[in-house]
Amino acid sequence: LHEGYVQELAATGRRIPDTRMELVTMGGRWVPLIVQEAFTKEDLVRQTLEGIASQEEYQRIVNLILQDTLHYLDHLAHHPDTILGFHPTLRNYALHKGQLYYFDTFPPMNLPQPELNRIIRQSLPQPWLKVISWIFPRILNRVSHEYYDATAMVTGIVGSACRLRPEWSDKTLEACHEYLASTTPKTIPLQPILKKVQSKPRLSKGWTTLRKLTNNIGKPNN
């Protein structure tokens, strides 16, 4: 499944480093290990944006990720039978020698959302979290919804960009709104996206709850 996901995602035009998955034993269990061509810390987009001094350069990089996401969504619009999830958040990209790379390939998302939820549930580190995800499936749905829905996907990027550098959040929001209004392909419903980015997008309670429960709180996008 993972091999197929990497191939299908690359077929949409995403630039992905050489990536494979191996199964290794850890604590008496088989666990997936993603083996991938490494980037330097300086290549990672989120780290770059955290330390960048120019708001103009900050926005240029954010726009690159928006552009990559819109290109992906446009590709899917032209291939309506394709079932493929994607998570284009800032921390999943690297900028290497002027080229944008997407490197997060797990969990594999070349399957419908309910099946992805099952894989996520199986991958949760604590058994009690698996029980909670069964009792309150809406929490998991709120998280994985962003991987399939165009509006949630794009506004997730804008929200992260606003939160990452709060001193520039007003300019970032305005610039993202202008960029989306002028460059979004006609194959993608634009008005729901623009409506969501009229104000700074906030993380859903389901997403923040799950991240807190798994002790996976990423400063400052929490």
Side-chain angles (χ1 to χ4, degrees), residues 66-87:
L66 288 173
Q67 180 185 54
D68 194 62
T69 303
L70 293 175
H71 185 277
Y72 162 83
L73 291 169
D74 184 54
H75 177 91
L76 251 60
H78 286 94
H79 300 80
D81 294 332
T82 299
I83 298 176
L84 200 65
F86 183 45
H87 190 203

Side-chain angles (χ1 to χ4, degrees), residues 16-171:
I16 303 172
D18 183 39
T19 304
R20 69 182 189 276
M21 189 180 81
E22 297 177 357
L23 291 176
V24 299
T25 55
M26 185 179 297
R29 298 177 57 198
W30 289 101
V31 296
L33 175 69
I34 306 300
V35 183
Q36 190 175 74
E37 187 178 341
F39 293 105
T40 67
K41 205 171 188 179
E42 290 73 26
D43 288 334
L44 301 179
V45 163
R46 179 167 162 168
Q47 278 82 340
T48 297
L49 293 178
E50 282 181 321
I52 209 164
S54 165
Q55 194 273 333
E56 290 75 17
E57 180 64 8
Y58 182 88
Q59 190 62 47
R60 184 188 74 82
I61 296 174
V62 171
N63 286 353
L64 285 177
I65 297 185
L66 288 173
Q67 180 185 54
D68 194 62
T69 303
L70 293 175
H71 185 277
Y72 162 83
L73 291 169
D74 184 54
H75 177 91
L76 251 60
H78 286 94
H79 300 80
D81 294 332
T82 299
I83 298 176
L84 200 65
F86 183 45
H87 190 203
T89 189
L90 305 181
R91 66 179 178 275
N92 289 344
Y93 278 97
L95 195 57
H96 179 67
K97 295 182 179 179
Q99 302 274 15
L100 194 64
Y101 288 82
Y102 178 82
F103 57 79
D104 185 12
T105 61
F106 190 86
M109 302 185 195
N110 49 336
L111 69 180
Q113 185 180 352
E115 294 182 34
L116 175 65
N117 287 348
R118 178 175 55 83
I119 290 180
I120 294 174
R121 188 179 290 114
Q122 290 173 341
S123 303
L124 289 171
Q126 295 93 350
W128 59 271
L129 278 174
K130 296 179 183 180
V131 174
I132 289 178
S133 68
W134 277 110
I135 298 174
F136 303 106
R138 288 187 179 182
I139 294 178
L140 201 53
N141 281 329
R142 289 292 296 271
V143 173
S144 59
H145 175 68
E146 185 177 322
Y147 309 154
Y148 294 89
D149 180 81
T151 299
M153 194 179 294
V154 174
T155 56
I157 298 168
V158 177
S160 291
C162 289
R163 289 187 297 273
L164 190 63
R165 297 295 294 268
E167 70 273 26
W168 294 334
S169 61
D170 290 337
K171 289 183 179 180

Side-chain angles (χ1 to χ4, degrees), residues 199-214:
S199 57
K200 298 168 192 174
R202 305 178 70 89
L203 292 172
S204 72
K205 290 184 178 179
W207 175 249
T208 54
T209 298
L210 188 61
R211 293 196 65 170
K212 288 177 180 178
L213 287 173
T214 56

